Amino acid sequence: MQRYTDTELVEMFNDQNKSELAFRLIVDYYSERLYWHIRKIVLGHDEADDVLQNTFIKAWKGLSNFRNDAKLFTWLYRIATNESITELNKIKKRQQVSLDQDTVLMNVLEDSSYFDGDEAQRIFQKALLTLPEKQRIVFNMKYFDEMKYSEISEILNTSVGALKASYHHAVKKIELVLKEN
Amino acid sequence: MSLSNKYKKNSFKVPEGYFENVTDRIQKSIAEERESVKNPKFIVMIRPYIAIAAGMMFIAFMFGQVFSYFEKDIGDKLTSDIIYESIVQDDLLIVSDDFLMNALAENVEVTNEDIQNFDEVDNYESNESEVDEMYQDILY
């Protein structure tokens, strides 16, 4: 099956007769990759599913105004990141005062219906939860998604220098936690 | 400086068949969203009009507050001299007949409460000859 470029997809979307097909293709191409980016932030599947839906609804609403000066995937990734942060804030508000957001997310890692990694991976994921929110997101994008700093910079609108420093500090903190455990 | 790649293994679980169905589910959500944009709920439609009405009521209220503040000042200082001057200079003065006659005859200070207690108010636009006539009736 023919694979369309981002530019072609946006042009198709702006054609009333082809917009539904164009958007379906965009979802096909990018949903899985976006899902995993989201899932690593919010940890729970149901939450990730909600965020993914919201991401694509926002993308659908904004796509007609999308200018091809940025990559389509960069733009989608940015929406997904913002929606994930919004979801994390909702999780914070939903919980009782005695439970903070990190405790809630750590509980997800203990639930075998959501996470089936070994003890080392569980400890590693819990170490990630000790990082500040944005630092954790940078770490995920660099370590798990193996994105270039320039790509991360475009998505998060942060300088490459700041990202490198953030990632460096994140690695140091995680190494410390792993040593202690 | 690098962490071991062993932690890169994806250990998060996904319900079976999730990715096979996700496109259809997202398209369905978008169709529902498109429908809600075409046929918004009544309350969503009238929301901007409610906001406009509330804004206008607020402005009217504030205007009333400001107006009553200045009116009080004017009412307290109204005297027969001012009333006479207003009539002579063809100004509009909103008072009743009885009030006007009493004020002109007795040189009393009128209060805001006096003005508010009238059952009927008339707009007076007088000229000099009419004023002379009125004085004649009262004084002579």
Side-chain angles (χ1 to χ4, degrees):
Chain A
M1 192 181 171
Q2 180 190 0
R3 176 132 185 145
Y4 295 93
T5 64
D6 287 352
T7 308
E8 286 168 337
L9 287 171
V10 174
E11 273 174 25
M12 277 172 68
F13 182 81
N14 290 323
D15 178 348
Q16 224 173 351
N17 298 323
K18 296 179 189 172
S19 65
E20 200 172 318
L21 170 64
F23 202 78
R24 175 172 273 273
L25 288 172
I26 290 169
V27 176
D28 275 342
Y29 292 172
Y30 296 123
S31 56
E32 191 164 346
R33 196 168 162 195
L34 286 174
Y35 172 86
W36 287 117
H37 169 61
I38 293 164
R39 181 75 189 266
K40 284 195 279 291
I41 297 171
V42 303
L43 300 195
H45 165 72
D46 294 333
E47 289 80 4
D49 182 53
D50 283 345
V51 172
L52 186 68
Q53 306 252 1
N54 292 340
T55 297
F56 278 112
I57 287 172
K58 286 215 164 147
W60 171 73
K61 285 180 179 173
L63 194 53
S64 50
N65 296 324
F66 176 75
R67 297 182 306 276
N68 277 310
D69 53 353
K71 283 187 212 164
L72 181 59
F73 186 67
T74 303
W75 182 69
L76 291 170
Y77 223 87
R78 188 182 300 138
I79 298 173
T81 305
N82 290 338
E83 290 299 306
S84 300
I85 293 171
T86 302
E87 181 64 25
L88 286 179
N89 291 335
K90 279 189 204 167
I91 292 171
K92 244 188 258 187
K93 281 184 188 168
R94 270 203 300 264
Q95 303 313 313
Q96 295 165 14
V97 171
S98 58
L99 284 179
D100 60 27
Q101 181 200 90
D102 292 347
T103 308
V104 170
L105 296 176
M106 285 204 195
N107 288 343
V108 172
L109 297 172
E110 297 296 338
D111 188 338
S112 60
S113 57
Y114 289 116
F115 187 82
D116 65 356
D118 60 24
E119 192 56 25
Q121 280 160 343
R122 188 169 284 113
I123 292 170
F124 183 78
Q125 286 291 335
K126 286 187 178 179
L128 295 192
L129 291 177
T130 64
L131 302 176
E133 206 168 79
K134 293 240 172 95
Q135 192 174 66
R136 182 161 69 92
I137 292 171
V138 172
F139 182 85
N140 284 345
M141 291 165 83
K142 186 65 190 158
Y143 180 76
F144 290 109
D145 299 344
E146 295 178 351
M147 295 174 84
K148 294 179 192 170
Y149 281 117
S150 55
E151 289 176 302
I152 303 172
S153 171
E154 268 187 65
I155 290 165
L156 299 182
N157 202 27
T158 304
S159 70
V160 167
L163 292 170
K164 284 183 179 175
S166 177
Y167 183 71
H168 170 83
H169 285 121
V171 169
K172 286 284 177 207
K173 279 188 211 172
I174 293 165
E175 283 176 339
L176 205 61
V177 172
L178 293 179
K179 255 188 211 166
E180 286 168 6
N181 289 276
Chain B
M1 169 207 64
S2 60
L3 289 169
S4 165
N5 284 336
K6 73 177 181 184
Y7 303 113
K8 288 191 179 183
K9 183 187 169 216
N10 186 0
S11 299
F12 289 101
K13 289 166 82 171
V14 177
E16 206 172 313
Y18 174 73
F19 291 112
E20 283 81 38
N21 300 322
V22 75
T23 303
D24 288 335
R25 289 175 59 244
I26 288 170
Q27 291 292 91
K28 190 179 164 197
S29 299
I30 287 168
E32 284 168 8
E33 184 68 25
R34 198 185 287 131
E35 204 51 45
S36 74
V37 167
K38 269 190 210 166
N39 300 307
K41 289 183 189 172
F42 178 70
I43 190 69
V44 170
M45 280 168 66
I46 66 169
R47 201 181 287 162
Y49 300 107
I50 293 172
I52 291 167
M56 287 172 75
M57 280 170 65
F58 176 75
I59 290 168
F61 171 75
M62 290 307 295
F63 183 74
Q65 292 295 304
V66 169
F67 183 76
S68 66
Y69 173 77
F70 284 111
E71 189 182 47
K72 182 183 174 200
D73 284 350
I74 292 167
D76 285 346
K77 292 172 191 166
L78 261 180
T79 64
S80 58
D81 291 339
I82 293 172
I83 294 169
Y84 174 74
E85 282 300 314
S86 297
I87 293 166
V88 164
Q89 289 164 25
D90 285 345
D91 284 345
L92 281 174
L93 186 66
I94 304 175
V95 293
S96 73
D97 285 354
D98 287 344
F99 166 75
L100 181 64
M101 291 302 123
N102 289 337
L104 284 170
E106 295 171 27
N107 197 29
V108 292
E109 255 191 44
V110 295
T111 67
N112 213 29
E113 195 184 319
D114 291 325
I115 297 171
Q116 286 170 354
N117 285 340
F118 300 141
D119 292 330
E120 289 173 26
V121 291
D122 292 319
N123 280 326
Y124 275 90
E125 250 188 73
S126 310
N127 56 39
E128 249 182 83
S129 61
E130 282 175 338
V131 170
D132 286 346
E133 221 178 278
M134 275 194 290
Y135 263 74
Q136 289 220 343
D137 286 339
I138 295 162
L139 297 172
Y140 301 109

